Amino acid sequence: MTALERLERTVGRWFGVSRVRVHPLFVALLVAAYFVGMVKQALLLFIFVFLHECGHAVVAKRLGYEIEEVSLLPFGGVAQLSYVRLGFSPKCEALVAIAGPAVNLLCALLALVLYAVGVIDGRFYGEIIGLNGWIAVFNLLPGLPLDGGRIYRAVRSREKGYEPATEEAYRMSIALSAVLMFAGLAALFAGRPHIGMVVLGLFLFVTAWRGRRDLRLETMRFLDAKRRDVGSTMLRTRALAVSAAIPIRDVVVRFSPDRYHIVYILHEDGTVASLVEEPELLDAVFEGRWLEPIASLRP
């Protein structure tokens, strides 16, 4: 067993999950910190990233979720939740997302108290404030897979639907990554290099691009969780109106979490021909009738 595998297993026991992954970018950062004499700062970063993820994990477990995997990154981490039992809840997703930055804020406040009573000196206090502020602010940017992106999706998904809101959050990430990389390169040409900004921008772009590539798979996961949610009939109703020729696929991707959908099928003149309810559409999706027109569900 390698040292990295031992570290991942140890951290996994701390989180109470079977799979924890320390991202190679984090490992590279720790190695670089060793060679430039910044081991103390790197260890502090690891501690605050770990506490950030503890915030996500504790709140997720309190809400009844299972954590499939935790990835530790230099700017925070990613907690992959299991939605098989509970389904997708915008409120819960937002609460889990905000928990990480909230922990960093508490760490900063604790540092302020310790500095005020003379337990730590001004330099150490500045390091703690800087690291926690950086982790919290970066994670609150409104793009997936960052915490801010999850909050953004939670807010938008009820209005736009899960897949459109998710795609919107990934597009935001790509735009933010371009801004970060441009700012980092501009700083480099100005004689004040900020390689970290370029690296984070590039990382954000790659993860957002992969997320958009796998978006349909994530949508299917969402729909499967929604289909298994036996309590969906108790949720608020959301009505959609579509033409008879529209494929079933183009209807279900507009489904929102925490909503029970009734779809009105319209004639060409805009009058209502019939209606279809959510369970029938979801059954059709998982029967392989994804591309059939919605009118095929009615004789």
Side-chain angles (χ1 to χ4, degrees):
M1 182 184 297
T2 66
L4 180 58
E5 289 173 338
R6 286 197 296 270
L7 176 62
E8 290 176 341
R9 180 169 293 185
T10 300
V11 176
R13 287 197 296 268
W14 292 339
F15 281 117
V17 297
S18 58
R19 187 177 181 187
V20 171
R21 186 168 66 95
V22 180
H23 196 276
L25 188 59
F26 207 148
V27 177
L29 178 66
L30 294 174
V31 172
Y34 174 79
F35 285 106
V36 299
M38 297 181 66
V39 175
K40 174 187 170 184
Q41 290 83 353
L43 289 176
L44 277 176
L45 177 63
F46 180 86
I47 290 170
F48 294 132
V49 166
F50 170 71
L51 292 175
H52 177 102
E53 283 308 305
C54 279
H56 291 312
V58 168
V59 173
K61 285 182 175 294
R62 292 278 294 180
L63 293 172
Y65 287 95
E66 295 179 2
I67 304 173
E68 293 180 350
E69 178 183 287
V70 171
S71 296
L72 296 179
L73 301 157
F75 57 80
V78 178
Q80 184 68 46
L81 304 182
S82 174
Y83 297 97
V84 172
R85 183 169 60 86
L86 294 179
F88 286 73
S89 166
K91 179 181 177 180
C92 291
E93 182 170 37
L95 288 172
V96 172
I98 199 66
V103 168
N104 295 119
L105 176 61
L106 289 175
C107 289
L109 290 175
L110 177 60
L112 176 61
V113 172
L114 294 177
Y115 174 64
V117 298
V119 175
I120 59 176
D121 60 25
R123 183 176 180 180
F124 191 43
Y125 166 70
E127 289 177 347
I128 294 175
I129 293 295
L131 284 172
N132 281 285
W134 177 68
I135 294 171
V137 170
F138 184 76
N139 272 277
L140 287 173
L141 293 176
L144 283 171
L146 303 177
D147 298 330
R150 296 185 182 280
I151 297 169
Y152 180 88
R153 176 171 66 183
V155 172
R156 297 285 287 164
S157 62
R158 283 175 172 163
E159 176 188 348
K160 296 198 66 173
Y162 182 80
E163 183 172 302
T166 302
E167 185 173 15
E168 204 172 76
Y170 279 128
R171 286 201 305 266
M172 292 283 285
S173 267
I174 292 172
L176 288 167
S177 69
V179 171
L180 286 171
M181 287 188 285
F182 177 80
L185 291 173
L188 178 63
F189 286 113
R192 303 183 65 180
H194 201 305
I195 302 301
M197 192 175 294
V198 177
V199 171
L200 286 177
L202 182 61
F203 179 82
L204 190 57
F205 173 81
V206 171
T207 53
W209 179 82
R210 286 178 176 171
R212 287 195 69 188
R213 181 194 63 188
D214 299 333
L215 179 57
R216 190 49 53 83
L217 177 61
E218 189 170 351
T219 298
M220 294 299 290
R221 239 179 129 226
F222 159 68
L223 294 174
D224 185 47
K226 194 169 181 59
R227 182 176 58 135
R228 295 167 184 265
D229 185 4
V230 296
S232 61
T233 55
M234 303 299 292
L235 305 176
R236 292 177 60 184
T237 300
R238 179 171 180 246
L240 299 174
V242 301
S243 69
I246 192 171
I248 294 171
R249 171 194 62 193
D250 295 346
V251 178
V252 296
V253 296
R254 294 162 58 188
F255 280 6
S256 302
D258 286 356
R259 295 293 183 267
Y260 182 81
H261 295 82
I262 297 176
V263 181
Y264 293 93
I265 304 174
L266 306 180
H267 289 300
E268 290 183 4
D269 61 2
T271 58
V272 176
S274 60
L275 63 85
V276 183
E277 296 192 30
E278 180 178 293
E280 191 173 355
L281 282 160
L282 293 176
D283 287 343
V285 167
F286 290 97
E287 288 168 3
R289 301 169 64 186
W290 181 259
L291 297 177
E292 291 184 16
I294 192 170
S296 67
L297 298 178
R298 286 290 176 264

